[in-house]
Amino acid sequence: MNRIWKALAPLLVMSIVAAAPARSETMLPNGAPVSKDLQQVLDRLQRHYHDTNSFTANFNEEIATVGAPKRQRQGTVSFRKPGRMRWEFSDPEKQTIVSDGETLYSYDPDLNQVVETPLKQALKSSSATSFLLGIGNINHDFKARFTIPQTTGQIDLLLDAKTGGYKIEVGLDQKTYNLISLTLIDQLGDTTKVDFTDIHDNVELPDSMFAFKVPAGADIVSAPASP
């Protein structure tokens, strides 16, 4: 499995969780929730996850690898439960990542190479797999706390996967609970930050969007089985 997808998998997990519009709740005059109780926030996120069947968004990504220069990319993402997704990266490093719910395809046009991986194998942590397949639970799968200080105008959370391997910093809009920013920190200290904009939730997305056709002449590589 390529390094870029390993970073993106947990990011998509949380973009699914936070992208849906919230159900009606009482708000303070400044738009903040009446209670900043952590459990209330997590319960609301869980409702978001269950209420979200699909979404599309634009994103900007910044990857900071220890000992290497920062890299930036942008593109679009589409998701539909259960486990269907499409990431389209634009210049300077074009790439297409598609899942049809069973198989994950990663296409590098510069190499004209497609890497095929079973979705369950690509998402090695049980929490990530559960979320993408539609059976995850925030309270069961993550240890959570508010980050301090909080960013003005948003709710900031730190989610630590109970299975280990990564931590996720999440920034949510106080009024809508839409995802504003998300940062993944892995065990090596490498970080991947993604800012989402122009989010549209529960939109009609046809099966054809998640069907991958191998480009002419492309090499096909099957990812080795997990040990």
Side-chain angles (χ1 to χ4, degrees), residues 16-212:
I16 296 165
V17 172
R23 295 176 180 176
S24 177
E25 293 188 10
T26 303
M27 294 287 180
L28 293 174
N30 63 1
V34 169
S35 173
K36 294 298 289 289
D37 176 77
L38 178 60
Q39 190 58 55
Q40 186 179 39
V41 170
L42 296 179
D43 289 345
R44 187 170 177 180
L45 276 176
Q46 186 65 38
R47 293 200 302 271
H48 282 201
Y49 170 66
H50 283 299
D51 289 346
T52 306
N53 293 314
S54 65
F55 78 90
T56 62
N58 297 329
F59 68 87
N60 288 288
E61 176 195 57
E62 180 178 275
I63 300 173
T65 303
V66 175
K70 289 184 179 180
R71 299 165 50 220
Q72 292 186 336
R73 301 194 299 174
Q74 61 185 8
T76 61
V77 58
S78 301
F79 169 82
R80 195 188 80 191
K81 287 182 179 178
R84 290 170 172 80
M85 68 192 89
R86 188 178 194 98
W87 293 81
E88 291 284 358
F89 294 87
S90 57
D91 293 330
E93 296 181 41
K94 290 185 177 179
Q95 185 181 15
T96 299
I97 297 173
V98 179
S99 169
D100 58 12
E102 295 183 359
T103 302
L104 186 72
Y105 303 91
S106 177
Y107 174 58
D108 185 329
D110 290 337
L111 298 176
N112 200 22
Q113 182 184 81
V114 178
V115 179
E116 297 182 351
T117 310
L119 183 59
K120 289 184 179 181
Q121 179 178 321
L123 303 173
K124 293 182 180 179
S125 76
S126 60
S127 59
T129 302
S130 295
F131 271 112
L132 281 183
L133 297 182
I135 57 175
N137 185 286
I138 297 170
N139 291 295
H140 292 168
D141 297 331
F142 295 93
K143 294 180 290 185
R145 63 178 173 85
F146 291 117
T147 63
I148 300 175
Q150 293 275 299
T151 303
T152 301
Q154 68 184 50
I155 300 170
D156 296 315
L157 297 173
L158 177 63
L159 301 171
D160 192 347
K162 291 182 179 180
T163 55
Y166 58 89
K167 296 181 180 181
I168 302 172
E169 295 180 359
V170 179
L172 305 172
D173 183 273
Q174 287 186 344
K175 293 182 179 180
T176 65
Y177 266 52
N178 282 343
L179 188 66
I180 299 173
S181 65
L182 188 152
T183 302
L184 169 75
I185 305 101
D186 68 17
Q187 291 174 311
L188 300 176
D190 297 337
T191 64
T192 303
K193 184 176 188 292
V194 180
D195 296 315
F196 292 96
T197 59
D198 195 26
I199 297 171
H200 298 275
D201 48 84
N202 292 322
V203 293
E204 291 291 333
L205 299 176
D207 289 342
S208 58
M209 177 175 288
F210 309 103
F212 183 78

